[in-house]
Amino acid sequence: MATLVAPNQKSPVEDVEALHKAFKGWGTDEKTVIAILGHRNVHQRQQIRKVYEEIYQEDLIKRLESELSGDFERAVYRWMLEPADRDAVLANVAIKNGSKGYHVIVEIACVLSADEVLAVKRAYHNRYKRSLEEDVATNTTGDIRQLLVGLVTAYRYDGDEVNAKLAKTEADILHESIKEKKGNHEEAIRILTTRSKTQLLATFNRYRDDHGASITKKLLDNASTDFQKALHTAIRCINDHKKYYEKVLRNAIKGVGTDEDALTRVVVSRAEKDLRDIKELYYKRNSVHLEDAVAKEISGDYKKFILTLLGKED
């Protein structure tokens, strides 16, 4: 379930005029920006952007970039993009970040449906005039290149059929691949990048039954290379992406300093999908409401905006 519940919007003109007024004079009325954009769904936001350009001959996103700053600006900018375009931007930033960004590529490729991944690749192509596969391949080498290119290239079957015999065979192949730290990972890559999610879940369950521990635990014990870490992320995202995102949020706000980039990425990309479920998982795991934990770690307009997307008015 989503955390965003947008009101019925008769016409975007009223919102557009209020936003334009918020940009006038000295300083920006951030409260109005949050009150409007933080409560509009993706269709309404695109309508607002379209009408704003029609009336004022200016791209609303570019105006927001010039009016806002810091983490607040980045969060609003990403919120205003269509989901596929947003993920294209996130993928491009991740590629530029090298090994620190591999998990974001994996998230996009493994959490989204085959059609959604295809839409991201189209958006990437339109925005950067290169293919996502091309940029991933250019900036990686070896096993990690094979895995990441395979994941973003895949168009997985999304049916419910399961081949139990295949699940057993491939659970054993994965077990051997994980055991051999410097072994041949081609078969593991083939399995992770070509099988349907339903088939992979059956394989992961068979792995746990046959080998006495979950595949993610085995991988975590051995995850010393970028490839093994990416493999671990891929399996977690396919296995239960909500649990995966709960941990991303937990890691983003625990300890010294906050990972605002990770916090923004998860909140902005899941607010209209399943952020309410992720919040419930967070509470069960930590006995603290996510909004309360987040509120202690961030401040200012960024805090107000993130809390709004989390469904809590500050």
Side-chain angles (χ1 to χ4, degrees):
M1 284 176 67
T3 49
L4 178 86
V5 182
N8 291 329
Q9 188 186 18
K10 290 173 187 172
S11 165
V13 174
E14 200 176 313
D15 284 343
V16 163
E17 288 173 346
L19 285 168
H20 190 252
K21 188 180 173 187
F23 302 145
K24 279 187 169 179
W26 291 101
T28 308
D29 178 3
E30 289 90 353
K31 192 175 178 183
T32 296
V33 172
I34 295 167
I36 295 172
L37 298 181
H39 293 94
R40 301 294 182 267
N41 64 33
V42 63
H43 173 70
Q44 292 168 337
R45 296 194 304 276
Q46 297 316 308
Q47 283 295 108
I48 288 168
R49 187 179 177 187
K50 181 169 173 279
V51 172
Y52 191 95
E53 186 146 16
E54 285 170 1
I55 295 176
Y56 301 110
Q57 285 78 55
E58 181 182 31
D59 184 353
L60 176 57
I61 288 183
K62 285 197 167 59
R63 186 62 191 259
L64 286 164
E65 282 184 286
S66 69
E67 294 286 339
L68 312 178
S69 62
D71 293 314
F72 179 44
E73 180 272 316
R74 275 188 290 278
V76 172
Y77 170 77
R78 288 172 183 182
W79 180 242
M80 284 301 296
L81 297 174
E82 290 186 65
D85 201 23
R86 178 195 304 137
D87 283 330
V89 170
L90 288 172
N92 185 255
V93 172
I95 290 165
K96 288 176 181 171
N97 283 339
S99 61
K100 288 187 286 186
Y102 292 160
H103 63 286
V104 178
I105 308 286
V106 175
E107 274 177 31
I108 291 166
C110 294
V111 174
L112 302 185
S113 70
D115 285 332
E116 287 170 333
V117 173
L118 196 58
V120 172
K121 292 199 286 184
R122 283 201 191 101
Y124 195 98
H125 200 274
N126 291 338
R127 185 176 267 271
Y128 300 109
K129 312 306 175 200
R130 298 182 303 275
S131 73
L132 177 57
E133 297 92 327
E134 179 185 358
D135 277 0
V136 169
T138 303
N139 289 279
T140 51
T141 57
D143 286 338
I144 191 75
R145 174 194 278 169
Q146 282 187 34
L147 177 64
L148 295 181
V149 171
L151 287 173
V152 299
T153 307
Y155 188 82
R156 295 181 195 275
Y157 174 63
D158 63 357
D160 293 329
E161 292 84 353
V162 168
N163 182 328
K165 190 177 175 185
L166 187 66
K168 173 166 176 47
T169 304
E170 295 192 337
D172 291 339
I173 291 170
L174 288 173
H175 181 66
E176 289 305 309
S177 180
I178 290 166
K179 259 196 334 187
E180 297 174 36
K181 285 191 180 183
K182 292 180 180 175
N184 184 346
H185 299 299
E186 274 185 28
E187 283 295 274
I189 292 167
R190 174 188 64 78
I191 294 164
L192 264 291
T193 59
T194 61
R195 298 299 181 204
S196 72
K197 289 183 182 178
T198 310
Q199 181 65 38
L200 285 170
L201 288 176
T203 300
F204 301 155
N205 288 336
R206 187 60 193 247
Y207 185 106
R208 188 184 60 239
D209 293 344
D210 288 356
H211 301 288
S214 70
I215 187 168
T216 48
K217 183 170 188 324
K218 288 277 188 187
L219 260 173
L220 199 57
D221 293 340
N222 290 298
S224 56
T225 67
D226 287 335
F227 170 75
Q228 286 159 337
K229 287 172 188 168
L231 201 64
H232 182 255
T233 300
I235 292 169
R236 290 206 70 201
C237 287
I238 292 164
N239 209 16
D240 189 337
H241 72 269
K242 293 175 192 176
K243 275 190 180 176
Y244 168 78
Y245 281 130
E246 183 279 326
K247 189 168 185 184
V248 172
L249 288 170
R250 188 165 14 113
N251 289 341
I253 57 180
K254 76 174 186 184
V256 180
T258 306
D259 183 350
E260 288 88 359
D261 219 46
L263 176 62
T264 298
R265 185 177 79 252
V266 178
V267 171
V268 165
S269 62
R270 308 314 296 180
E272 295 180 87
K273 293 184 176 179
D274 49 18
L275 189 54
R276 189 179 294 278
D277 302 328
I278 295 164
K279 279 170 54 177
E280 285 172 10
L281 281 172
Y282 186 92
Y283 184 74
K284 280 179 190 170
R285 177 75 172 67
N286 305 284
S287 303
V288 176
H289 291 292
L290 179 60
E291 305 93 304
D292 296 335
V294 166
K296 289 178 184 172
E297 298 296 326
I298 58 176
S299 60
D301 294 315
Y302 175 59
K303 171 182 172 179
K304 289 171 189 167
F305 185 62
I306 292 294
L307 288 181
T308 299
L309 298 189
L310 282 167
K312 179 174 180 172
E313 301 306 318
D314 191 31

